[in-house]
Amino acid sequence: TKSSSYSFKTDSGQEEIQLKAATITMANLTSGDPQRQYSQVVVHDPWRKTHVRTLLPQSPLTEAWFTYPKDKETGDDGTAIQVEGDSKGQSDDDFEMIDVKPVTIAAFKRLSLQSVRDLKWLSNYISTKLMHKLLKFEDTKLLTGTGGSNNINGILTQATNYTKTNTAVTSNIYEYLLDAVAQLEGLDYEPSDIVVNPQDFLSLLTLKTTTNEYTYPALAVAGGISLAGIPVRKSTAISRLTGLVGDFSQTEMLTREGITVAMSYEDADNFTKNLVTVRIEESVALAVYQPGAFRKMNFNQLYS
């Protein structure tokens, strides 16, 4: 996917973000005329407020791989009332070992040393913007990563597609969400969060009866929604008309290397050209211990 400034590509299976322009210099920032007063505030498009990682339990990863045993629930259960003098029933369990490997998400920019020196705001802004771009890319992978040898297997990718099971549920977004909650609770999960796009959040706030009365008008004042005690989170990380209901305690984000920003004057021919390379990277993995703890909802399909 390309924009006017960035190119997102896969290089030898590794996800990377690279700047299309070769170098950021004073000339392409100031038209070669630095003799003026510059604002220290950069005007930019708004950055995403809610990232997927904020919903996930997080732990450090100290090794190159993470492996966990999962009960396949296919063992024999010999639990029974004991008859005096008879042998007790024997139980056994079947396990499988699940491997999760961290991936590295990285990006870099190259700037002239003069631009970093004369434009005091530039280096801090560049590192901040790189971080927001990385987190936005990370959101996509945590939700919809396709898995494989060098990718994250996302939550939505593994989640169970929601299908209405309660005949009392009508064509109402609240009831669909509550039915998904009830399905998970029926499996002994504890749904912790509901995630929707801001446009679908608006649909919840403005839902009306056939006589044009708001279904739950107090929500507009409170500024938030909670269904059966479960908060509804709005984020542009999830597509419009897509909902995710889940017990997020059944996932874990594992950090092999936290978000790191580094600067180097020795990259390529930086030394002879007075250039600075700014690099950001992280190494993370996602373990979805129980994919069945999530319901993926297609509101457009439900209403059709």
Side-chain angles (χ1 to χ4, degrees):
T1 305
K2 294 185 177 181
S3 70
S4 58
S5 302
Y6 290 89
S7 169
F8 299 81
K9 71 172 187 176
T10 300
D11 183 8
S12 300
Q14 176 61 56
E15 302 291 350
E16 293 185 345
I17 308 174
Q18 297 183 329
L19 188 68
K20 288 171 65 179
T23 304
I24 297 176
T25 65
M26 289 292 291
N28 60 36
L29 284 172
T30 66
S31 300
D33 179 17
Q35 304 305 316
R36 63 181 69 195
Q37 179 176 331
Y38 287 99
S39 169
Q40 297 303 304
V41 178
V42 182
V43 178
H44 58 81
D45 290 339
W47 288 327
R48 181 170 291 163
K49 307 301 187 297
T50 303
H51 292 284
V52 178
R53 60 162 52 213
T54 62
L55 304 175
L56 308 178
Q58 299 189 37
S59 297
L61 180 60
T62 58
E63 303 295 339
W65 285 82
F66 178 71
T67 302
Y68 62 91
K70 183 174 182 180
D71 191 339
K72 298 174 66 176
E73 305 294 348
T74 57
D76 296 324
D77 183 7
T79 304
I81 295 175
Q82 173 66 24
V83 176
E84 185 177 2
D86 287 354
S87 298
K88 298 177 177 63
Q90 180 178 347
S91 295
D92 60 53
D93 299 291
D94 298 329
F95 296 93
E96 62 178 329
M97 306 305 289
I98 308 296
D99 294 327
V100 177
K101 189 177 187 299
V103 300
T104 298
I105 302 174
F108 74 90
K109 288 181 183 286
R110 189 171 287 121
L111 305 83
S112 72
L113 183 59
Q114 183 180 354
S115 68
V116 175
R117 181 188 62 207
D118 293 344
L119 302 176
K120 305 301 183 183
W121 51 267
L122 183 59
S123 59
N124 180 65
Y125 176 72
I126 290 297
S127 60
T128 302
K129 186 171 184 178
L130 279 172
M131 181 183 67
H132 282 279
K133 291 284 186 180
L134 181 144
L135 289 174
K136 191 173 181 179
F137 185 82
E138 177 192 270
D139 285 339
T140 300
K141 294 302 174 182
L142 290 176
L143 284 179
T144 59
T146 56
S149 61
N150 193 37
N151 205 337
I152 292 174
N153 197 5
I155 297 172
L156 281 172
T157 304
Q158 300 185 64
T160 302
N161 289 320
Y162 166 78
T163 302
K164 184 175 72 172
T165 57
N166 191 323
T167 56
V169 173
T170 59
S171 298
N172 180 304
I173 188 170
Y174 283 108
E175 294 185 5
Y176 287 137
L177 291 171
L178 289 171
D179 184 35
V181 168
Q183 288 182 22
L184 296 179
E185 290 178 335
L187 297 172
D188 292 323
Y189 293 117
E190 296 183 10
S192 58
D193 294 280
I194 299 169
V195 186
V196 297
N197 184 273
Q199 289 295 328
D200 296 310
F201 189 88
L202 175 65
S203 297
L204 287 164
L205 287 176
T206 58
L207 190 66
K208 299 178 182 180
T209 65
T210 54
T211 56
N212 286 328
E213 296 172 331
Y214 286 108
T215 304
Y216 200 173
L219 292 173
V221 178
I225 301 175
S226 179
L227 299 180
I230 302 167
V232 180
R233 315 285 187 183
K234 53 182 174 180
S235 176
T236 55
I238 195 167
S239 301
R240 188 177 181 182
L241 296 174
T242 299
L244 178 62
V245 181
D247 180 351
F248 283 82
S249 70
Q250 300 301 320
T251 66
E252 190 170 22
M253 182 175 175
L254 304 155
T255 302
R256 177 69 166 150
E257 179 186 2
I259 298 176
T260 303
V261 178
M263 300 180 67
S264 174
Y265 299 95
E266 284 72 42
D267 176 43
D269 54 1
N270 281 10
F271 182 77
T272 58
K273 291 185 176 181
N274 274 4
L275 302 178
V276 181
T277 299
V278 182
R279 183 196 68 205
I280 188 169
E281 67 179 352
E282 68 170 351
S283 181
V284 295
L286 175 68
V288 181
Y289 297 118
Q290 295 289 357
F294 295 90
R295 290 294 181 272
K296 175 173 58 178
M297 312 185 76
N298 183 331
F299 297 130
N300 190 50
Q301 187 179 68
L302 290 170
Y303 294 141
S304 62

